[in-house]
Amino acid sequence: MIRASDLGWRTRGKTILQGATLEIEKGEVLGLIGPNGSGKSTLLRMLAGLLKPSQGHVELAGQELARMNQREIARITAFVAQQADTSDRISVRDAVELGRTPWLDALRPWSEEDSRHVANALATVEMQGFETRDWITLSGGERQRVHIARALAQAPQVLLLDEPTNHLDIHHQLSIMRLIGRLGLTTIVALHDLNQAMSCDRLGVLHQGRLIALGSPAEILTPELLHCVFAVSATELIDPTDGTRVLRFRSMTQALPDMNRHDVS
Amino acid sequence: MTLVLTGARRVERGRQAMRWIGIATILVAAPLAGICIGETRIPLSTVLQVLANRLWDAGYAVDPIDEGIIWSYRLTRALVAGACGAALAVCGVILQSLLRNALADPYLLGISAGASTGAVLIAVAGLGAGMVPMSAGALLGALLAFGLVTLLAQLSGGGTGLRGTGQIILAGIAGSQLFNALTSFIIARSANAEQARGIMFWLLGNLSGVRWDDVWLALPAAAMVLLIGLWHIRALDAFTFGAESAASLGIPVRQVQAVLILAAAIATAVMVSIVGSIGFVGLVVPHAARFLVGVRHARLVPASALIGMVFLIAADILSRVMIPGQVLPIGVVTALVGAPVFALILIRGRASS
Ligand SMILES: Nc1ncnc2c1ncn2[C@@H]1O[C@H](COP(=O)(O)OP(=O)(O)OP(=O)(O)O)[C@@H](O)[C@H]1O
Ligand SMILES: [Mg+2]
C-alpha cells in the first residue's frame, strides 16, 4: 500500500532523516517509536505528502506520491497531526465536516452521504452529543478525538496518526488503539507508549533520524534495543489475567535505587 | 413520518426563501437610502422616477437638476461605496482565514501605503506631467508595494506555504512604514498647504469625486473578489486548523494562497485608488459577520460582503449629514461609528457565549 525507499530530509545543512526504507501491506498497522526529535513526525509528514523528501521517494497505492496532487492524496490518506488547534469558534460538527473536503467541489455539493460519514465518524470516537459544542470549549482529549473523527470522515484507505493517544484518558487510549485495530485500514501511527506499541502488527524504531529497526513487536521491544534507543532498562512482566507481556521501565541516567527496592518488595 | 419530514422541509424551504427576500431587500434598499439621504433630501418617488427614466426610458417629468444629482452623483457614490465595502470585507475574510491571523486586514500588506505614495507622486510631485490620473498612480503604487512586500516575505523564509504565514504580516508592516514615510516625505518637500489638505482628505477616504467610470472599475473588482472568494469557500474552511491541515484535506495550499491573496490585493488596490484608504472595514466587518453567521465561509463570505456594503453606504450617508454643510472623510466616520458598534458586538458576543 505504501512503499518508501531511501527517504531523507535535510534542512539548512542539517540531516533530519535519512535512508528510511519501509513497505506497508494493505490493512497492516505499523507503529513508529523513537525518542523526541528522532524524526517520527517528519517521516509521517513526508508519507502524507506534506513535506517534499529531499532524497528518495514514496509510492502510495501503486502511484508515485510526488506525481499525485494534494486532492488525490487526501482521498486515500488521512493525517492527524501531533498538534492542530484553532481560535475560530467552530463547532464539533463543522470541524468533522472538514474531513469531507477532498470529496466535494462545486459540482458535487454536500449530500446525505456526507452527513452519514460525519455521523458515523463521530459515533466511532464516542463523540455523539458534542456536535454543537464550540471547539474552544473542548478538553484536550475531546479535541484529539474530534481530529480523529475528522480523519475518519475522510473515508481514507490509509490513516497516518501522529501520537493520537496523547491527551487521552486511559479508557480512550485503549479504545483508540482497539479502534485502529478494528478499522482494518492501513495505518501508520507514531506512539510513545511502548505497551500500546505492542498491539501493532509491526514496529519501526527511529533513532537520530534513522530507521534502525523494523519488525514484529516481539523482535523489536528487546531490553537491548530499549536500552540503546531510549536509555532505559526494561523488565518484562507477564499479566497473569491474560498472559500478555507488559514492560516496566527504569531510567538509566538517574539511578533511583530506593524506589526500585520499594517496587520490588 | 413522511408528513413530519415534508413539513420540516417546507419550513426549511420557507426560511430559505425569507432569507433570500431579506438579502434582496437589503441589496435594493441600501443604495436607495444612499441616494435619497444627503444635504438635500430627495423624495423616494423622484429617485425611482429618475431610475425608471434612465433604465427603461419611462419618460417621467423630473427636474433635470434633480436628475443630474441622482444619476451622476448620488447613485455613482452609493454604488462605489457599496462595492468598496463589500470588496474590502471579503478581502478581510480571505486574509484572516489564509494568514490565520485575526488582525489581518487588506491594508496590512502595504497596499494602501503604496497607493498613497503613488497618488502623492502624481498629485504633488507632478510625476506623469498631468497626463496620468491620480487613481492610476495609486493603483500602480499599490501593486508595486504589494510586490515588494511579497518579495520580502519570500526572502525572509517563505511568506506563505505550509508552515510560515507570519512573515508576510511582518513584511507588510515594514512595507507600510516605508511607503507611509515616503508619502510624508513627498508631502513635506513639495506640497503647498492647499495640496497637503487635499491629500490628507484623500488619504482618509473620499467618495465625493466618484463618477460612472469609477463605478465600472469598482463593481467588477468587487464582483471578482467576491466570486473568487465564493469559489474557494471550502478551501477557506479547510484552513481552520492551519495550512498543513488544509493540505492534508486535499487543498493545493500554495496555489490557493497565491490566487486568493493576489485577488484580494488587486481588489484592494483598485478600491484605494478610487476612494483612498478607508480603514476599519476590512478588519472589523468580518468579525462582526462571524458573530452573526458563524465561521463557515459558505455563509461568512456572502454575509461579510452584504454587511460591508451596507456599512459603507451608511457611513457615506453619515459623512454627508453628520455636520450640515460639510462632508467628513468617510474613513473618519467608519472608525468613529464602527469602533463603538464593534465594541458592542464584542460585549454582546461574550455575554451570549
Ligand atoms: N523545519 C525544521 N527546521 C529545523 N529542524 C527541524 C524542522 N522540523 C523538524 N526539525 C527537527 O527535526 C527533528 C525531528 O523532528 P520530528 O518532529 O520529526 O521529531 P519527532 O520524532 O516527531 O519527535 P516528538 O516525539 O517530540 O514528536 C527534531 O530535532 C526537530 O527539531
Ligand atoms: Mg512528533
Side-chain angles (χ1 to χ4, degrees):
Chain A
M1 195 68 195
I2 302 181
R3 183 178 301 158
S5 31
D6 194 30
L7 270 193
W9 190 63
R10 32 192 307 124
T11 180
R12 290 179 207 136
K14 201 173 124 201
T15 302
I16 305 290
L17 192 80
Q18 58 181 317
T21 300
L22 62 137
E23 197 168 323
I24 298 126
E25 297 300 321
K26 201 173 170 65
E28 190 182 12
V29 177
L30 177 79
L32 284 180
I33 58 175
N36 289 139
S38 55
K40 302 182 293 296
S41 301
T42 306
L43 179 57
L44 281 176
R45 292 174 65 229
M46 282 196 285
L47 296 177
L50 300 174
L51 192 66
K52 278 215 168 53
S54 37
Q55 189 193 330
H57 57 99
V58 182
E59 219 174 87
L60 174 66
Q63 294 180 71
E64 188 78 27
L65 193 71
R67 296 241 180 78
M68 297 167 78
N69 68 32
Q70 212 63 52
R71 194 176 170 91
E72 290 166 344
I73 299 173
R75 287 183 170 190
I76 301 178
T77 304
F79 175 64
V80 176
Q82 192 166 356
Q83 269 179 343
D85 225 330
T86 184
S87 53
D88 281 358
R89 310 192 60 163
I90 191 171
S91 74
V92 167
R93 167 176 286 283
D94 285 345
V96 177
E97 283 183 359
L98 293 181
R100 300 303 297 160
T101 307
W103 301 97
L104 302 172
D105 57 38
L107 299 178
R108 194 198 161 297
W110 191 264
S111 70
E112 292 287 317
E113 193 200 333
D114 298 303
S115 298
R116 219 164 28 244
H117 276 291
V118 169
N120 284 344
L122 278 165
T124 311
V125 298
E126 300 175 17
M127 285 293 286
Q128 316 104 304
F130 282 80
E131 284 93 341
T132 56
R133 282 275 294 277
D134 255 0
W135 176 263
I136 49 171
T137 67
L138 296 182
S139 77
E142 287 161 353
R143 290 178 192 197
Q144 193 79 31
R145 277 148 66 201
V146 174
H147 274 311
I148 294 169
R150 203 240 313 120
L152 294 178
Q154 242 170 297
Q157 300 167 41
V158 175
L159 208 49
L160 302 178
L161 305 169
D162 199 348
E163 298 184 27
T165 56
N166 63 7
H167 301 306
L168 295 193
D169 65 51
I170 186 69
H171 167 77
H172 286 108
Q173 283 183 21
L174 295 177
S175 77
I176 288 294
M177 289 310 290
R178 196 151 27 88
L179 173 69
I180 290 172
R182 209 176 54 217
L183 285 171
L185 298 175
T186 313
T187 307
I188 305 184
V189 49
L191 287 169
H192 276 305
D193 188 318
L194 300 182
N195 281 311
Q196 282 173 9
M198 282 203 233
S199 67
C200 297
D201 296 329
R202 273 194 306 160
L203 288 180
V205 183
L206 280 162
H207 187 41
Q208 292 171 356
R210 286 171 188 276
L211 187 65
I212 56 165
L214 190 62
S216 71
E219 292 161 27
I220 296 290
L221 294 173
T222 57
E224 301 77 53
L225 186 134
L226 294 173
H227 177 186
C228 157
V229 173
F230 292 97
V232 293
S233 80
T235 329
E236 210 176 289
L237 308 170
I238 303 292
D239 182 342
T241 54
D242 57 1
T244 46
R245 296 167 57 208
V246 181
L247 291 170
R248 190 174 167 282
F249 309 101
R250 268 157 300 159
S251 172
M252 307 270 299
T253 46
Q254 273 178 329
L256 294 169
D258 289 337
M259 269 186 67
N260 282 341
R261 199 173 308 134
H262 177 77
D263 270 36
V264 169
S265 66
Chain B
M1 186 64 197
T2 38
L3 211 80
V4 175
L5 258 181
T6 46
R9 206 164 285 167
R10 196 172 301 151
V11 169
E12 177 54 31
R13 204 168 290 164
R15 223 178 262 155
Q16 198 103 32
M18 288 296 288
R19 207 175 290 146
W20 282 112
I21 292 172
I23 290 172
T25 313
I26 294 174
L27 275 176
V28 174
L32 279 183
I35 300 172
C36 291
I37 310 169
E39 289 147 282
T40 51
R41 206 168 273 260
I42 301 175
L44 184 61
S45 55
T46 318
V47 173
L48 292 178
Q49 283 173 348
V50 169
L51 292 182
N53 280 354
R54 289 292 184 140
L55 295 174
W56 298 287
D57 271 331
Y60 289 107
V62 196
D63 182 352
I65 294 183
D66 274 354
E67 179 152 352
I69 292 180
I70 291 169
W71 189 256
S72 308
Y73 293 86
R74 296 263 177 100
L75 177 59
T76 51
R77 212 177 155 129
L79 288 177
V80 169
C84 183
L88 290 178
V90 172
C91 291
V93 169
I94 288 173
L95 294 176
Q96 284 168 13
S97 164
L98 291 188
L99 304 180
R100 302 310 312 151
N101 191 320
L103 294 179
D105 117 341
Y107 293 150
L108 185 106
L109 303 173
I111 293 168
S112 73
S116 51
T117 308
V120 167
L121 270 177
I122 303 276
V124 179
L127 207 76
M131 303 295 291
V132 186
M134 192 164 100
S135 55
L139 187 59
L140 278 180
L143 293 177
L144 182 75
F146 174 67
L148 275 179
V149 165
T150 347
L151 186 70
L152 176 58
Q154 290 294 338
L155 289 180
S156 69
T160 51
L162 289 189
R163 282 213 151 169
T165 45
Q167 304 294 33
I168 196 163
I169 292 180
L170 294 179
I173 291 172
S176 297
Q177 295 289 342
L178 174 69
F179 281 93
N180 281 334
L182 274 178
T183 307
S184 306
F185 179 76
I186 297 166
I187 292 179
R189 255 198 70 112
S190 330
N192 56 37
E194 182 69 17
Q195 280 176 320
R197 194 179 130 80
I199 291 290
M200 276 303 291
F201 210 82
W202 183 82
L203 287 180
L204 288 169
N206 181 10
L207 281 161
S208 47
V210 165
R211 298 293 174 265
W212 274 105
D213 43 350
D214 298 315
V215 174
W216 296 128
L217 205 55
L219 283 184
M224 181 262 316
V225 76
L226 179 61
L227 287 179
I228 290 184
L230 286 174
W231 181 258
H232 284 98
I233 45 178
R234 294 200 184 283
L236 288 166
D237 275 345
F239 275 86
T240 301
F241 291 98
E244 186 164 87
S245 159
S248 77
L249 290 170
I251 304 297
V253 167
R254 275 172 199 286
Q255 182 195 324
V256 165
Q257 279 173 332
V259 168
L260 283 172
I261 293 183
L262 194 66
I266 291 175
T268 310
V270 167
M271 295 308 164
V272 174
S273 72
I274 300 173
V275 301
S277 44
I278 302 174
F280 212 73
V281 181
L283 175 64
V284 159
V285 168
H287 287 297
R290 269 186 209 106
F291 277 116
L292 292 175
V293 303
V295 296
R296 294 297 293 271
H297 289 83
R299 287 154 158 247
L300 185 57
V301 171
S304 296
L306 205 62
I307 296 174
M309 178 197 100
V310 172
F311 181 66
L312 217 56
I313 291 179
D316 179 44
I317 295 175
L318 272 177
S319 79
R320 282 179 281 155
V321 300
M322 217 144 90
I323 304 178
Q326 196 183 344
V327 181
L328 286 174
I330 189 171
V332 172
V333 179
T334 54
L336 269 184
V337 178
V341 169
F342 186 61
L344 265 181
I345 293 176
L346 271 181
I347 294 167
R348 294 240 348 239
R350 186 175 166 75
S352 68
S353 74

